[in-house]
Amino acid sequence: MNTRLTSVLLPALLVTSLAAQEGQAPDMSPAKELAKFEPLIGNWSGSGKMMEPGGASTNWTAEGTYRWALNKHFVQEDFIIKFEGMDAPMTFRNYLGWDRENQRYVSAVASNQGTCRLNDMSILPDGTMMQMITHHMEGVPYIERACTKVTGDTASMKIEVMMSEGGSITMIDSAMKRSEKAFECDWGEDAWMGMEPNDHMKKLRVIRGQYQTKGEMVMAPETPAMKIAGSDSFMMIWDGTVMHGKTLGFAEGDPAPYESHAFWAWDEGRKCISAVFVDNMGQIGQMDVRWVEDKLVSTSSALQMGMPTTQRFILTLDRKGNLKSGISHTCMGTLDPFVSFTASYVKRG
């Protein structure tokens, strides 16, 4: 189990335990708010022009698919956009979902631009899905407003940007249509515009591979430990600019499998590696990841079960650079700080 498991599985197990004590089954069903994503489901294609800040334009074509994923807690969006005159296309994987803790729509997206991030999103009264996102280009921030609205078999798409000076610029104002061809991201696609991983991401690739994991989780101070087991796989994608991770696991006494997906990429705004994750219980989150000497330290601060929760997860590597062990420390609400997770890793491939 890797860096995000303790932050998402611990509160879920605690909810399950408390509900069992009260003779109730926990509600793990998808949130009703997800129904607003239903019009997106299916395959889409389109074309248009991208207007650049200097006034030039570039033709593009796009295709993609929206499908339900992770026990229907998320809509998985896979898209590729090909620009005329550019060797590599832009491609991305996005998970659209509902954040129960904060009562908001969110997206967890990774792209071959060497980025991954957790974004807020809004669904307006007319059904328009809108995101306001701050980006950084060569150290200078700019704001993107992206709006999508589905009407039957057509989806309008409008992207505007506001640079550090001047008014907003409409870069894309086009329509997509439903198609028969399904699309799924190719992790072997080239990085966008020849982007190369920085030294932080190059160092991260030492942990890539498949691991068998065994460990224990503790729900609260002075409570019995719960044994867990599973597998983790890590692979560098898009020329090493992003790392993808997948966890499959089981908790003792629970036959239901746990599955999560995560992406790691350098975050220029936060000046660290960022990890975003989603799982088949509807959890979604983000962690800051930094190298401290030869150990990988991930930290997060968020609401869990309505309580402010801070976590630190430390991964130790062996002399070959493979994962060896992990330990997590948690501060939840007014509870005393406690060791919430320990694990050992054995590389299998």
mmCIF file of all heavy atoms in Angstrom, residues 187-230:
data_model
loop_
_atom_site.group_PDB
_atom_site.id
_atom_site.type_symbol
_atom_site.label_atom_id
_atom_site.label_comp_id
_atom_site.label_asym_id
_atom_site.label_seq_id
_atom_site.Cartn_x
_atom_site.Cartn_y
_atom_site.Cartn_z
ATOM 1 N N TRP A 187 -0.001 5.335 -22.162
ATOM 2 C CA TRP A 187 1.039 5.812 -21.248
ATOM 3 C C TRP A 187 2.390 5.958 -21.953
ATOM 4 O O TRP A 187 3.285 6.627 -21.433
ATOM 5 C CB TRP A 187 1.197 4.861 -20.074
ATOM 6 C CG TRP A 187 -0.010 4.625 -19.232
ATOM 7 C CD1 TRP A 187 -0.424 3.423 -18.742
ATOM 8 C CD2 TRP A 187 -0.959 5.589 -18.728
ATOM 9 N NE1 TRP A 187 -1.564 3.587 -17.979
ATOM 10 C CE2 TRP A 187 -1.916 4.904 -17.962
ATOM 11 C CE3 TRP A 187 -1.093 6.973 -18.871
ATOM 12 C CZ2 TRP A 187 -2.985 5.534 -17.326
ATOM 13 C CZ3 TRP A 187 -2.161 7.615 -18.245
ATOM 14 C CH2 TRP A 187 -3.080 6.900 -17.489
ATOM 15 N N GLY A 188 2.529 5.350 -23.126
ATOM 16 C CA GLY A 188 3.791 5.447 -23.852
ATOM 17 C C GLY A 188 3.860 6.629 -24.800
ATOM 18 O O GLY A 188 4.871 6.787 -25.501
ATOM 19 N N GLU A 189 2.838 7.469 -24.810
ATOM 20 C CA GLU A 189 2.841 8.644 -25.687
ATOM 21 C C GLU A 189 3.998 9.577 -25.309
ATOM 22 O O GLU A 189 4.436 9.629 -24.154
ATOM 23 C CB GLU A 189 1.499 9.388 -25.563
ATOM 24 C CG GLU A 189 1.325 10.535 -26.538
ATOM 25 C CD GLU A 189 1.395 10.080 -27.982
ATOM 26 O OE1 GLU A 189 0.419 9.509 -28.479
ATOM 27 O OE2 GLU A 189 2.462 10.297 -28.597
ATOM 28 N N ASP A 190 4.521 10.306 -26.312
ATOM 29 C CA ASP A 190 5.596 11.267 -26.051
ATOM 30 C C ASP A 190 5.108 12.389 -25.144
ATOM 31 O O ASP A 190 3.918 12.713 -25.106
ATOM 32 C CB ASP A 190 6.090 11.878 -27.362
ATOM 33 C CG ASP A 190 6.798 10.863 -28.244
ATOM 34 O OD1 ASP A 190 7.256 9.835 -27.707
ATOM 35 O OD2 ASP A 190 6.875 11.102 -29.461
ATOM 36 N N ALA A 191 6.050 12.997 -24.442
ATOM 37 C CA ALA A 191 5.718 14.173 -23.636
ATOM 38 C C ALA A 191 5.396 15.350 -24.563
ATOM 39 O O ALA A 191 5.896 15.436 -25.689
ATOM 40 C CB ALA A 191 6.872 14.534 -22.715
ATOM 41 N N TRP A 192 4.565 16.237 -24.087
ATOM 42 C CA TRP A 192 4.119 17.394 -24.853
ATOM 43 C C TRP A 192 5.298 18.341 -25.115
ATOM 44 O O TRP A 192 6.030 18.713 -24.197
ATOM 45 C CB TRP A 192 3.012 18.100 -24.082
ATOM 46 C CG TRP A 192 2.591 19.447 -24.585
ATOM 47 C CD1 TRP A 192 2.787 20.632 -23.963
ATOM 48 C CD2 TRP A 192 1.863 19.738 -25.784
ATOM 49 N NE1 TRP A 192 2.221 21.651 -24.692
ATOM 50 C CE2 TRP A 192 1.656 21.129 -25.814
ATOM 51 C CE3 TRP A 192 1.375 18.953 -26.830
ATOM 52 C CZ2 TRP A 192 0.979 21.757 -26.851
ATOM 53 C CZ3 TRP A 192 0.696 19.576 -27.870
ATOM 54 C CH2 TRP A 192 0.499 20.946 -27.874
ATOM 55 N N MET A 193 5.509 18.687 -26.373
ATOM 56 C CA MET A 193 6.511 19.656 -26.802
ATOM 57 C C MET A 193 7.913 19.300 -26.296
ATOM 58 O O MET A 193 8.708 20.175 -25.931
ATOM 59 C CB MET A 193 6.119 21.070 -26.344
ATOM 60 C CG MET A 193 4.824 21.571 -26.965
ATOM 61 S SD MET A 193 4.420 23.294 -26.552
ATOM 62 C CE MET A 193 5.706 24.159 -27.491
ATOM 63 N N GLY A 194 8.217 17.986 -26.268
ATOM 64 C CA GLY A 194 9.554 17.551 -25.903
ATOM 65 C C GLY A 194 9.928 17.772 -24.448
ATOM 66 O O GLY A 194 11.122 17.766 -24.104
ATOM 67 N N MET A 195 8.939 17.935 -23.581
ATOM 68 C CA MET A 195 9.235 18.178 -22.171
ATOM 69 C C MET A 195 10.016 17.011 -21.574
ATOM 70 O O MET A 195 9.759 15.847 -21.873
ATOM 71 C CB MET A 195 7.936 18.387 -21.395
ATOM 72 C CG MET A 195 8.137 18.606 -19.909
ATOM 73 S SD MET A 195 6.599 19.020 -19.071
ATOM 74 C CE MET A 195 6.300 20.651 -19.747
ATOM 75 N N GLU A 196 10.970 17.343 -20.716
ATOM 76 C CA GLU A 196 11.767 16.327 -20.052
ATOM 77 C C GLU A 196 11.556 16.400 -18.539
ATOM 78 O O GLU A 196 11.290 17.473 -17.996
ATOM 79 C CB GLU A 196 13.252 16.525 -20.374
ATOM 80 C CG GLU A 196 13.593 16.334 -21.851
ATOM 81 C CD GLU A 196 15.077 16.455 -22.109
ATOM 82 O OE1 GLU A 196 15.835 16.729 -21.148
ATOM 83 O OE2 GLU A 196 15.483 16.275 -23.274
ATOM 84 N N PRO A 197 11.644 15.260 -17.844
ATOM 85 C CA PRO A 197 11.468 15.278 -16.391
ATOM 86 C C PRO A 197 12.609 16.030 -15.715
ATOM 87 O O PRO A 197 13.757 15.973 -16.168
ATOM 88 C CB PRO A 197 11.489 13.789 -16.026
ATOM 89 C CG PRO A 197 12.244 13.132 -17.140
ATOM 90 C CD PRO A 197 11.914 13.914 -18.375
ATOM 91 N N ASN A 198 12.284 16.746 -14.622
ATOM 92 C CA ASN A 198 13.351 17.415 -13.888
ATOM 93 C C ASN A 198 14.049 16.414 -12.965
ATOM 94 O O ASN A 198 13.708 15.227 -12.925
ATOM 95 C CB ASN A 198 12.811 18.631 -13.113
ATOM 96 C CG ASN A 198 11.811 18.250 -12.041
ATOM 97 O OD1 ASN A 198 11.661 17.084 -11.675
ATOM 98 N ND2 ASN A 198 11.105 19.238 -11.534
ATOM 99 N N ASP A 199 15.034 16.881 -12.207
ATOM 100 C CA ASP A 199 15.832 15.977 -11.382
ATOM 101 C C ASP A 199 14.992 15.279 -10.318
ATOM 102 O O ASP A 199 15.285 14.131 -9.941
ATOM 103 C CB ASP A 199 16.972 16.751 -10.719
ATOM 104 C CG ASP A 199 18.039 17.188 -11.723
ATOM 105 O OD1 ASP A 199 18.078 16.608 -12.834
ATOM 106 O OD2 ASP A 199 18.817 18.101 -11.399
ATOM 107 N N HIS A 200 13.950 15.950 -9.813
ATOM 108 C CA HIS A 200 13.104 15.345 -8.783
ATOM 109 C C HIS A 200 12.354 14.130 -9.338
ATOM 110 O O HIS A 200 12.247 13.097 -8.673
ATOM 111 C CB HIS A 200 12.107 16.380 -8.250
ATOM 112 C CG HIS A 200 12.758 17.576 -7.633
ATOM 113 N ND1 HIS A 200 13.107 17.628 -6.306
ATOM 114 C CD2 HIS A 200 13.144 18.755 -8.170
ATOM 115 C CE1 HIS A 200 13.661 18.803 -6.045
ATOM 116 N NE2 HIS A 200 13.696 19.504 -7.158
ATOM 117 N N MET A 201 11.818 14.263 -10.554
ATOM 118 C CA MET A 201 11.095 13.154 -11.162
ATOM 119 C C MET A 201 12.055 12.054 -11.610
ATOM 120 O O MET A 201 11.722 10.863 -11.551
ATOM 121 C CB MET A 201 10.264 13.648 -12.344
ATOM 122 C CG MET A 201 9.088 14.536 -11.956
ATOM 123 S SD MET A 201 7.924 13.717 -10.821
ATOM 124 C CE MET A 201 7.329 12.377 -11.863
ATOM 125 N N LYS A 202 13.255 12.419 -12.051
ATOM 126 C CA LYS A 202 14.244 11.398 -12.421
ATOM 127 C C LYS A 202 14.613 10.543 -11.220
ATOM 128 O O LYS A 202 14.791 9.331 -11.330
ATOM 129 C CB LYS A 202 15.487 12.069 -13.003
ATOM 130 C CG LYS A 202 15.286 12.662 -14.390
ATOM 131 C CD LYS A 202 16.559 13.329 -14.875
ATOM 132 C CE LYS A 202 16.376 13.924 -16.268
ATOM 133 N NZ LYS A 202 17.605 14.623 -16.735
ATOM 134 N N LYS A 203 14.721 11.177 -10.055
ATOM 135 C CA LYS A 203 15.056 10.436 -8.847
ATOM 136 C C LYS A 203 13.908 9.524 -8.432
ATOM 137 O O LYS A 203 14.131 8.419 -7.918
ATOM 138 C CB LYS A 203 15.394 11.403 -7.721
ATOM 139 C CG LYS A 203 15.934 10.728 -6.468
ATOM 140 C CD LYS A 203 16.368 11.757 -5.438
ATOM 141 C CE LYS A 203 16.921 11.073 -4.185
ATOM 142 N NZ LYS A 203 17.361 12.054 -3.164
ATOM 143 N N LEU A 204 12.665 9.961 -8.689
ATOM 144 C CA LEU A 204 11.501 9.192 -8.279
ATOM 145 C C LEU A 204 11.409 7.855 -9.010
ATOM 146 O O LEU A 204 10.871 6.886 -8.469
ATOM 147 C CB LEU A 204 10.229 10.017 -8.527
ATOM 148 C CG LEU A 204 8.910 9.451 -7.996
ATOM 149 C CD1 LEU A 204 8.936 9.369 -6.476
ATOM 150 C CD2 LEU A 204 7.738 10.313 -8.458
ATOM 151 N N ARG A 205 11.952 7.781 -10.210
ATOM 152 C CA ARG A 205 11.781 6.565 -11.003
ATOM 153 C C ARG A 205 12.501 5.351 -10.431
ATOM 154 O O ARG A 205 12.270 4.224 -10.888
ATOM 155 C CB ARG A 205 12.224 6.811 -12.446
ATOM 156 C CG ARG A 205 13.695 7.097 -12.638
ATOM 157 C CD ARG A 205 13.974 7.539 -14.075
ATOM 158 N NE ARG A 205 15.387 7.852 -14.291
ATOM 159 C CZ ARG A 205 15.819 8.508 -15.359
ATOM 160 N NH1 ARG A 205 14.958 8.900 -16.298
ATOM 161 N NH2 ARG A 205 17.111 8.768 -15.512
ATOM 162 N N VAL A 206 13.351 5.549 -9.401
ATOM 163 C CA VAL A 206 14.039 4.398 -8.823
ATOM 164 C C VAL A 206 13.049 3.427 -8.177
ATOM 165 O O VAL A 206 13.357 2.228 -8.048
ATOM 166 C CB VAL A 206 15.097 4.818 -7.775
ATOM 167 C CG1 VAL A 206 16.153 5.697 -8.410
ATOM 168 C CG2 VAL A 206 14.448 5.503 -6.587
ATOM 169 N N ILE A 207 11.861 3.892 -7.783
ATOM 170 C CA ILE A 207 10.932 3.000 -7.080
ATOM 171 C C ILE A 207 10.002 2.260 -8.027
ATOM 172 O O ILE A 207 9.176 1.459 -7.583
ATOM 173 C CB ILE A 207 10.093 3.763 -6.032
ATOM 174 C CG1 ILE A 207 9.086 4.698 -6.719
ATOM 175 C CG2 ILE A 207 10.982 4.529 -5.077
ATOM 176 C CD1 ILE A 207 8.090 5.314 -5.748
ATOM 177 N N ARG A 208 10.109 2.517 -9.337
ATOM 178 C CA ARG A 208 9.165 1.895 -10.264
ATOM 179 C C ARG A 208 9.277 0.371 -10.192
ATOM 180 O O ARG A 208 10.327 -0.183 -9.893
ATOM 181 C CB ARG A 208 9.392 2.395 -11.691
ATOM 182 C CG ARG A 208 10.710 1.980 -12.317
ATOM 183 C CD ARG A 208 10.922 2.734 -13.643
ATOM 184 N NE ARG A 208 12.106 2.290 -14.343
ATOM 185 C CZ ARG A 208 13.329 2.746 -14.108
ATOM 186 N NH1 ARG A 208 13.538 3.643 -13.156
ATOM 187 N NH2 ARG A 208 14.359 2.300 -14.825
ATOM 188 N N GLY A 209 8.152 -0.301 -10.474
ATOM 189 C CA GLY A 209 8.111 -1.755 -10.419
ATOM 190 C C GLY A 209 6.848 -2.229 -9.733
ATOM 191 O O GLY A 209 5.942 -1.437 -9.432
ATOM 192 N N GLN A 210 6.772 -3.541 -9.496
ATOM 193 C CA GLN A 210 5.621 -4.147 -8.835
ATOM 194 C C GLN A 210 6.047 -4.708 -7.485
ATOM 195 O O GLN A 210 7.106 -5.333 -7.374
ATOM 196 C CB GLN A 210 5.028 -5.247 -9.713
ATOM 197 C CG GLN A 210 4.507 -4.739 -11.052
ATOM 198 C CD GLN A 210 3.880 -5.843 -11.879
ATOM 199 O OE1 GLN A 210 3.713 -6.964 -11.413
ATOM 200 N NE2 GLN A 210 3.517 -5.519 -13.111
ATOM 201 N N TYR A 211 5.187 -4.484 -6.483
ATOM 202 C CA TYR A 211 5.514 -4.886 -5.123
ATOM 203 C C TYR A 211 4.347 -5.635 -4.486
ATOM 204 O O TYR A 211 3.185 -5.318 -4.734
ATOM 205 C CB TYR A 211 5.804 -3.662 -4.248
ATOM 206 C CG TYR A 211 6.991 -2.838 -4.672
ATOM 207 C CD1 TYR A 211 6.866 -1.865 -5.666
ATOM 208 C CD2 TYR A 211 8.225 -3.011 -4.068
ATOM 209 C CE1 TYR A 211 7.950 -1.099 -6.047
ATOM 210 C CE2 TYR A 211 9.329 -2.244 -4.440
ATOM 211 C CZ TYR A 211 9.180 -1.284 -5.440
ATOM 212 O OH TYR A 211 10.253 -0.526 -5.813
ATOM 213 N N GLN A 212 4.697 -6.611 -3.657
ATOM 214 C CA GLN A 212 3.737 -7.217 -2.744
ATOM 215 C C GLN A 212 3.888 -6.507 -1.399
ATOM 216 O O GLN A 212 5.008 -6.253 -0.947
ATOM 217 C CB GLN A 212 4.002 -8.714 -2.584
ATOM 218 C CG GLN A 212 3.686 -9.538 -3.830
ATOM 219 C CD GLN A 212 2.220 -9.470 -4.209
ATOM 220 O OE1 GLN A 212 1.873 -9.023 -5.296
ATOM 221 N NE2 GLN A 212 1.352 -9.888 -3.306
ATOM 222 N N THR A 213 2.752 -6.221 -0.775
ATOM 223 C CA THR A 213 2.758 -5.410 0.437
ATOM 224 C C THR A 213 2.001 -6.104 1.553
ATOM 225 O O THR A 213 0.943 -6.693 1.325
ATOM 226 C CB THR A 213 2.106 -4.037 0.168
ATOM 227 O OG1 THR A 213 2.702 -3.463 -0.990
ATOM 228 C CG2 THR A 213 2.283 -3.118 1.346
ATOM 229 N N LYS A 214 2.541 -6.040 2.764
ATOM 230 C CA LYS A 214 1.843 -6.500 3.960
ATOM 231 C C LYS A 214 2.008 -5.435 5.036
ATOM 232 O O LYS A 214 3.066 -4.807 5.131
ATOM 233 C CB LYS A 214 2.403 -7.833 4.454
ATOM 234 C CG LYS A 214 2.101 -9.015 3.549
ATOM 235 C CD LYS A 214 2.618 -10.303 4.154
ATOM 236 C CE LYS A 214 2.290 -11.497 3.252
ATOM 237 N NZ LYS A 214 2.779 -12.776 3.843
ATOM 238 N N GLY A 215 0.950 -5.249 5.825
ATOM 239 C CA GLY A 215 1.060 -4.240 6.851
ATOM 240 C C GLY A 215 -0.083 -4.262 7.832
ATOM 241 O O GLY A 215 -0.890 -5.211 7.873
ATOM 242 N N GLU A 216 -0.150 -3.211 8.630
ATOM 243 C CA GLU A 216 -1.198 -3.043 9.620
ATOM 244 C C GLU A 216 -1.673 -1.604 9.618
ATOM 245 O O GLU A 216 -0.907 -0.674 9.346
ATOM 246 C CB GLU A 216 -0.692 -3.397 11.022
ATOM 247 C CG GLU A 216 -0.360 -4.856 11.223
ATOM 248 C CD GLU A 216 0.065 -5.150 12.654
ATOM 249 O OE1 GLU A 216 0.434 -4.193 13.371
ATOM 250 O OE2 GLU A 216 0.008 -6.339 13.050
ATOM 251 N N MET A 217 -2.960 -1.447 9.939
ATOM 252 C CA MET A 217 -3.534 -0.118 10.082
ATOM 253 C C MET A 217 -4.186 -0.003 11.449
ATOM 254 O O MET A 217 -4.760 -0.967 11.961
ATOM 255 C CB MET A 217 -4.569 0.151 8.993
ATOM 256 C CG MET A 217 -4.002 0.100 7.595
ATOM 257 S SD MET A 217 -5.156 0.690 6.346
ATOM 258 C CE MET A 217 -5.163 2.428 6.728
ATOM 259 N N VAL A 218 -4.085 1.186 12.023
ATOM 260 C CA VAL A 218 -4.709 1.471 13.308
ATOM 261 C C VAL A 218 -5.689 2.624 13.100
ATOM 262 O O VAL A 218 -5.342 3.641 12.512
ATOM 263 C CB VAL A 218 -3.655 1.854 14.367
ATOM 264 C CG1 VAL A 218 -4.330 2.254 15.677
ATOM 265 C CG2 VAL A 218 -2.706 0.685 14.608
ATOM 266 N N MET A 219 -6.922 2.425 13.579
ATOM 267 C CA MET A 219 -7.972 3.413 13.325
ATOM 268 C C MET A 219 -7.906 4.614 14.253
ATOM 269 O O MET A 219 -8.338 5.706 13.891
ATOM 270 C CB MET A 219 -9.337 2.751 13.442
ATOM 271 C CG MET A 219 -9.554 1.642 12.430
ATOM 272 S SD MET A 219 -11.176 0.877 12.627
ATOM 273 C CE MET A 219 -11.048 -0.468 11.460
ATOM 274 N N ALA A 220 -7.405 4.423 15.449
ATOM 275 C CA ALA A 220 -7.335 5.493 16.443
ATOM 276 C C ALA A 220 -6.366 5.047 17.525
ATOM 277 O O ALA A 220 -6.032 3.859 17.624
ATOM 278 C CB ALA A 220 -8.724 5.778 17.034
ATOM 279 N N PRO A 221 -5.870 5.957 18.350
ATOM 280 C CA PRO A 221 -4.946 5.571 19.419
ATOM 281 C C PRO A 221 -5.521 4.473 20.310
ATOM 282 O O PRO A 221 -6.709 4.481 20.646
ATOM 283 C CB PRO A 221 -4.770 6.875 20.200
ATOM 284 C CG PRO A 221 -5.061 7.950 19.217
ATOM 285 C CD PRO A 221 -6.135 7.410 18.331
ATOM 286 N N GLU A 222 -4.675 3.496 20.632
ATOM 287 C CA GLU A 222 -5.011 2.418 21.562
ATOM 288 C C GLU A 222 -6.147 1.513 21.063
ATOM 289 O O GLU A 222 -6.851 0.888 21.849
ATOM 290 C CB GLU A 222 -5.361 2.989 22.941
ATOM 291 C CG GLU A 222 -4.210 3.776 23.568
ATOM 292 C CD GLU A 222 -4.567 4.311 24.942
ATOM 293 O OE1 GLU A 222 -5.694 4.054 25.414
ATOM 294 O OE2 GLU A 222 -3.721 4.998 25.538
ATOM 295 N N THR A 223 -6.324 1.430 19.741
ATOM 296 C CA THR A 223 -7.286 0.487 19.167
ATOM 297 C C THR A 223 -6.506 -0.639 18.489
ATOM 298 O O THR A 223 -5.350 -0.458 18.091
ATOM 299 C CB THR A 223 -8.202 1.166 18.135
ATOM 300 O OG1 THR A 223 -7.389 1.728 17.094
ATOM 301 C CG2 THR A 223 -9.025 2.260 18.788
ATOM 302 N N PRO A 224 -7.117 -1.843 18.363
ATOM 303 C CA PRO A 224 -6.411 -2.973 17.761
ATOM 304 C C PRO A 224 -6.006 -2.698 16.318
ATOM 305 O O PRO A 224 -6.709 -1.988 15.579
ATOM 306 C CB PRO A 224 -7.433 -4.109 17.840
ATOM 307 C CG PRO A 224 -8.400 -3.689 18.897
ATOM 308 C CD PRO A 224 -8.466 -2.203 18.839
ATOM 309 N N ALA A 225 -4.882 -3.252 15.910
ATOM 310 C CA ALA A 225 -4.410 -3.100 14.533
ATOM 311 C C ALA A 225 -5.187 -4.026 13.602
ATOM 312 O O ALA A 225 -5.596 -5.119 13.984
ATOM 313 C CB ALA A 225 -2.923 -3.413 14.457
ATOM 314 N N MET A 226 -5.408 -3.571 12.379
ATOM 315 C CA MET A 226 -6.055 -4.374 11.349
ATOM 316 C C MET A 226 -5.022 -4.735 10.295
ATOM 317 O O MET A 226 -4.322 -3.859 9.774
ATOM 318 C CB MET A 226 -7.205 -3.592 10.707
ATOM 319 C CG MET A 226 -7.872 -4.318 9.553
ATOM 320 S SD MET A 226 -9.217 -3.343 8.827
ATOM 321 C CE MET A 226 -10.395 -3.334 10.179
ATOM 322 N N LYS A 227 -4.908 -6.012 9.980
ATOM 323 C CA LYS A 227 -3.933 -6.455 8.994
ATOM 324 C C LYS A 227 -4.448 -6.177 7.579
ATOM 325 O O LYS A 227 -5.641 -6.317 7.304
ATOM 326 C CB LYS A 227 -3.635 -7.944 9.162
ATOM 327 C CG LYS A 227 -2.947 -8.281 10.484
ATOM 328 C CD LYS A 227 -2.520 -9.731 10.520
ATOM 329 C CE LYS A 227 -1.851 -10.066 11.848
ATOM 330 N NZ LYS A 227 -0.619 -9.249 12.046
ATOM 331 N N ILE A 228 -3.543 -5.787 6.706
ATOM 332 C CA ILE A 228 -3.876 -5.520 5.310
ATOM 333 C C ILE A 228 -2.812 -6.151 4.426
ATOM 334 O O ILE A 228 -1.678 -6.402 4.864
ATOM 335 C CB ILE A 228 -3.956 -4.006 5.014
ATOM 336 C CG1 ILE A 228 -2.651 -3.324 5.425
ATOM 337 C CG2 ILE A 228 -5.148 -3.364 5.713
ATOM 338 C CD1 ILE A 228 -2.585 -1.874 5.034
ATOM 339 N N ALA A 229 -3.169 -6.434 3.194
ATOM 340 C CA ALA A 229 -2.224 -6.999 2.229
ATOM 341 C C ALA A 229 -2.664 -6.606 0.833
ATOM 342 O O ALA A 229 -3.845 -6.340 0.586
ATOM 343 C CB ALA A 229 -2.163 -8.523 2.354
ATOM 344 N N GLY A 230 -1.708 -6.564 -0.077
ATOM 345 C CA GLY A 230 -2.078 -6.196 -1.438
ATOM 346 C C GLY A 230 -0.865 -6.046 -2.319
ATOM 347 O O GLY A 230 0.220 -6.570 -2.028
#
